[in-house]
């Protein structure tokens, strides 16, 4: 029997109750029935503040069906758990897929901790996490990893294994944690379960990913700040408009219900706060909003802004015969393209972003979002061909963002992105059509963890660089991740690549390294 998305208000009540209260079940769990490791999906942490963090796990064993469990959690100063800083209990309930989100408060600022869960005699793997500095503190350094696009069938997660050695303070995950597809040509490994369309299917796809030891280990290494892109729901969806999939197999009659199920599964499987659900109450009428855009301070050194470019966007412009699906468009042949009213972020998020940028006290303003920010014209020479599913399809909104960066004199903007499965590094321009216009920030769009680039991408990179001079570096050959290290005076971004993502034991190497001096948005290759 498929599980239906939980009633919205019930979901809110459950999420709030399980995350923050000692809400004990009536019946005790019999330990004798624990035949399997309940912690096979690992542990994770996220949503760090200066005094707290969310601890996550999800029970995975067949007897879990229908039952409720009470877990204990511990946060310690040492890996041996001899000096416990905080401890508590948290509930795993079927309506939330037996995922638990323990919202821990009362920790010391700017320090590392160890954590674990216990269910009966079973003890989870130990995770390591940290609090962020106080908002008024002046930390000397932030090492932030960024990554996206980990299609299971396309490769192994050697990139996550190498990222573990980077001594990161946090990871920004920028979308495509899962893909909804039933498989791939020349699959490196098989997905289970076919097309992903229902709550149970989304849950199963997340569980498949979390079974991977390298991904688990990276979740256990530091807190994550996740956002999503399209494949957490469906390829190229836009707001409440369906995207693409093989008819009948990859599509559904009721897309808003599918999106609600996908969002619930994302909430269940990410180390995020229940407030994401409650803040979204206003969106009830138009279908299960999950308010994931947010700003997180790392002291005064950096303001981390996470955007949601999927949930509230208008439909892509210039669709072929009105059918969904991203495509390259000649803007001169489509009047809709130039409509400045169209929004990528939606009115409420645009307004929020303008306000949060205006008030930001961060020396560096890191904007983590889904995709390439600067234009990428695919037509060499005269004329243009632009991708309608990215910022290029929402150029009016992009201009409002760059205008806000200028108007509020935002300190050192740094755009991080994903989606394109290629590394692109460039300058953010006040007016991309005018190369002499002010440079207002820098952009590092990362490659994928494992998802393939398109077949012709490698050979086309040189001509695309020549055609789009605001970009200073492009590479479509390698999968991997980025590390952005911020100090008060300097940003150093290192692009790390795995030699061959189809090999679990692949080596990694540094593909390129760039520096940006604070106060001067100019990318210098090292
Ligand atoms: Fe992707």
């Amino acid at each position: 029997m498929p599980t239906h998305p939980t009633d919205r208000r019930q979901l809110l009540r459950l999420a709030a109750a399980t995350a923050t209260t000692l809400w004990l079940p009536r019946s005790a769990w019999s330990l004798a029935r624990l035949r399997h490791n309940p912690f096979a999906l690992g542990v994770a942490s996220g949503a760090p503040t200066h005094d707290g963090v969310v601890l996550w796990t999800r029970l995975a064993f067949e007897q879990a069906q229908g039952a409720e469990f009470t877990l204990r959690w511990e946060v310690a100063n040492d890996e041996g758990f001899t000096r416990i800083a905080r401890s508590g209990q948290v509930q795993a309930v079927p309506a939330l897929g037996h995922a638990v989100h323990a919202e821990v408060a009362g920790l010391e600022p700017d320090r590392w901790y160890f954590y674990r869960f216990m269910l009966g005699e079973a003890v989870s793997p130990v995770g390591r996490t940290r609090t962020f500095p106080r908002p008024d503190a002046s930390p000397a350094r932030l090492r932030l990893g960024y990554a996206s696009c980990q299609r299971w069938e396309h490769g192994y997660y050697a990139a996550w294994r190498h990222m573990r050695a980077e001594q990161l303070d946090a990871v920004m995950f920028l979308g495509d944690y899962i893909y909804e597809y039933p498989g791939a040509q020349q699959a490196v490994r098989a997905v289970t379960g076919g097309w992903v369309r229902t709550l149970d299917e989304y849950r199963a796809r997340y569980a498949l990913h979390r079974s991977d030891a390298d991904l688990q280990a990276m979740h256990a290494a530091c807190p994550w700040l996740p956002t999503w892109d399209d494949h957490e729901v469906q390829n190229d969806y836009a707001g409440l408009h369906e995207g693409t999939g093989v008819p009948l197999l990859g599509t559904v009659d009721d897309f808003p219900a599918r999106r609600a199920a996908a969002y619930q599964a994302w909430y269940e499987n990410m180390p995020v706060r229940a407030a994401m659900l409650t803040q979204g109450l206003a969106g009830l009428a138009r279908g299960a909003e999950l308010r994931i855009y947010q700003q997180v301070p790392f002291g005064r050194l950096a303001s981390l802004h996470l955007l949601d470019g999927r949930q509230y966007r208008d439909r892509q412009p210039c669709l072929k015969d009105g059918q969904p699906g991203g495509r390259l468009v000649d803007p001169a042949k489509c009047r809709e393209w130039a409509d400045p009213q169209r929004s990528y972020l939606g009115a409420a998020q645009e307004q929020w972003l303008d306000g949060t940028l205006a008030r930001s006290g961060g020396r560096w303003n890191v904007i983590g979002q889904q995709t390439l920010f600067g234009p990428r014209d695919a037509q060499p020479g005269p004329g243009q061909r632009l991708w309608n599913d990215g910022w290029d399809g929402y150029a009016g909104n992009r201009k409002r963002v760059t205008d806000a960066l200028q108007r509020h004199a935002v300190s050192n903007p740094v755009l991080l992105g994903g989606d394109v499965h290629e590394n692109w590094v460039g300058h953010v321009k006040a007016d991309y059509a005018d190369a002499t216009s002010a440079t207002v920030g820098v952009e590092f769009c990362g490659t994928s963890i494992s998802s393939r680039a398109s077949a012709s991408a490698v050979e086309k990179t040189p001509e695309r660089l020549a055609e789009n001079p605001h970009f200073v570096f492009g590479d479509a050959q390698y999968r991997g991740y980025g590390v952005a290290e911020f100090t008060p005076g300097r940003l150093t971004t290192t692009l790390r690549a795995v030699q061959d993502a189809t090999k679990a034991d692949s080596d990694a190497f540094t593909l390129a390294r760039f520096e940006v001096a604070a106060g001067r948005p100019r990318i210098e290759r090292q």
Side-chain angles (χ1 to χ4, degrees):
M1 269 253 305
T3 308
H4 294 290
T6 310
D7 166 78
R8 193 73 187 152
R9 292 188 186 279
Q10 189 197 354
L11 186 67
L12 298 180
R13 185 184 62 75
L14 277 171
T18 57
T20 56
T21 67
L22 306 179
W23 189 54
L24 299 172
R26 267 169 282 170
S27 57
W29 168 242
S30 164
L31 301 184
R33 291 166 63 202
L34 265 182
R35 288 199 307 266
H36 303 281
N37 172 18
F39 297 112
L41 301 180
V43 298
S45 72
T49 65
H50 69 278
D51 70 348
V53 71
V54 173
L55 308 180
W56 175 96
T57 192
R58 180 179 156 200
L59 302 183
F61 53 110
E62 54 201 59
Q63 304 99 314
Q65 290 286 344
E68 297 184 349
F69 305 95
T70 300
L71 292 80
R72 288 174 292 134
W73 56 264
E74 290 178 345
V75 174
N77 294 301
D78 63 314
E79 198 166 5
F81 289 84
T82 59
R83 288 178 293 133
I84 304 292
R86 282 281 181 278
S87 61
Q89 297 179 84
V90 66
Q91 279 255 285
V93 299
L96 289 168
H98 291 104
V100 304
H101 298 79
E103 299 197 5
V104 180
L107 300 175
E108 296 293 316
D110 200 13
R111 61 154 301 163
W112 287 92
Y113 290 97
F114 297 89
Y115 64 93
R116 65 184 179 185
F117 292 93
M118 285 149 292
L119 176 61
E121 291 177 353
V123 181
S124 76
V126 171
R128 193 167 165 267
T129 192
R130 64 162 299 157
T131 51
F132 276 10
R134 287 184 188 282
D136 61 353
S138 299
R141 196 179 76 145
L142 164 64
R143 275 176 71 77
L144 180 68
Y146 61 96
S148 60
C149 297
Q150 51 172 355
R151 188 158 172 185
W152 181 268
E153 316 93 286
H154 282 184
Y156 290 97
Y157 294 161
W160 290 130
R161 193 176 67 255
H162 290 288
M163 193 194 260
R164 255 193 106 190
E166 301 281 358
Q167 304 295 320
L168 299 176
D169 294 301
V171 169
M172 263 193 187
F173 189 82
L174 299 172
D176 291 356
Y177 193 97
I178 58 164
Y179 286 70
E180 78 280 22
Y181 298 125
Q185 301 281 322
Q186 284 121 38
V188 173
R189 49 181 172 173
V191 289
T192 48
W195 283 99
V196 177
R197 301 178 305 172
T198 67
L199 178 56
D200 283 343
E201 290 164 355
Y202 284 109
R203 285 172 170 168
R205 189 58 59 93
Y206 280 103
L208 174 69
H209 286 68
R210 286 289 174 82
S211 72
D212 185 281
D214 291 321
L215 177 58
Q216 275 191 20
M218 193 59 228
H219 271 295
C222 69
W224 283 39
L225 294 160
T227 183
W228 57 34
D229 195 19
D230 53 340
H231 289 286
E232 283 85 353
V233 181
Q234 183 194 34
N235 183 50
D236 290 348
Y237 85 95
L240 283 167
H241 297 283
E242 187 165 35
T244 65
V246 173
L248 300 177
L249 298 172
T251 63
V252 295
D253 291 337
D254 184 350
F255 179 72
R258 177 185 184 172
R259 198 186 81 159
Y263 285 4
Q264 181 179 331
W266 186 90
Y267 169 78
E268 289 173 0
N269 285 282
M270 293 294 142
V272 294
R273 291 181 189 275
M276 281 188 174
L277 294 160
T278 53
Q279 286 173 353
L281 262 176
L284 264 179
R286 48 188 201 81
E289 181 184 10
L290 194 56
R291 183 75 59 86
I292 70 169
Y293 60 82
Q294 58 180 310
Q295 184 265 348
V296 182
F298 191 86
R300 287 186 178 141
L301 178 60
S303 240
L304 310 179
H305 312 265
L306 275 167
L307 306 187
D308 176 355
R310 281 290 161 191
Q311 187 170 190
Y312 315 104
R313 65 158 74 184
D314 289 318
R315 256 191 134 176
Q316 296 90 347
C318 313
L319 297 170
K320 191 174 174 57
D321 305 321
Q323 295 301 305
R327 59 192 288 251
L328 284 167
V329 172
D330 177 354
K333 292 189 178 150
C334 176
R335 179 180 290 184
E336 186 189 3
W337 191 273
D339 177 2
Q341 298 304 316
R342 300 178 56 268
S343 182
Y344 180 80
L345 300 173
Q349 186 178 193
E350 282 199 46
Q351 195 176 21
W352 167 86
L353 180 62
D354 192 84
T356 193
L357 289 173
R359 289 188 304 273
S360 170
R363 184 160 182 80
W364 297 92
N365 278 275
V366 184
I367 302 176
Q369 46 81 49
Q370 285 68 38
T371 189
L372 200 61
F373 188 74
R376 192 172 59 168
D377 175 14
Q379 174 79 48
Q384 284 185 299
R385 281 196 310 144
L386 298 167
W387 187 246
N388 67 346
D389 184 61
W391 282 99
D392 274 338
Y394 302 80
N397 196 160
R398 178 169 57 201
K399 187 74 169 72
R400 290 191 289 279
V401 173
T402 53
D403 285 351
L405 295 176
Q406 280 196 296
R407 189 170 63 252
H408 303 307
V410 174
S411 180
N412 298 305
V414 179
L415 276 288
L416 300 178
D419 173 50
V420 297
H421 308 173
E422 304 168 21
N423 273 300
W424 286 85
V425 176
H427 294 111
V428 176
K429 304 297 287 183
D431 178 1
Y432 280 101
D434 175 6
T436 67
S437 72
T439 297
V440 298
V442 296
E443 164 172 22
F444 296 90
C445 186
T447 184
S448 52
I449 288 289
S450 58
S451 307
R452 293 173 194 142
S454 68
S456 60
V458 172
E459 70 184 67
K460 285 185 174 162
T461 301
E463 72 184 37
R464 288 189 169 182
L465 273 168
E467 188 68 24
N468 301 279
H470 43 273
F471 289 115
V472 300
F473 178 87
D475 179 89
Q477 191 168 349
Y478 291 105
R479 316 282 72 78
Y481 59 89
V483 176
E485 179 174 306
F486 301 89
T487 67
R490 190 165 296 277
L491 159 62
T492 306
T493 301
T494 305
L495 308 186
R496 295 281 292 164
V498 290
Q499 205 67 251
D500 181 353
T502 69
K503 305 261 189 309
D505 61 353
S506 175
D507 285 342
F509 65 97
T510 293
L511 180 64
R513 178 174 287 134
F514 305 91
E515 289 200 354
V516 180
R520 186 163 180 265
R522 171 143 200 94
I523 296 165
E524 308 277 1
R525 185 159 181 188
Q526 299 304 296

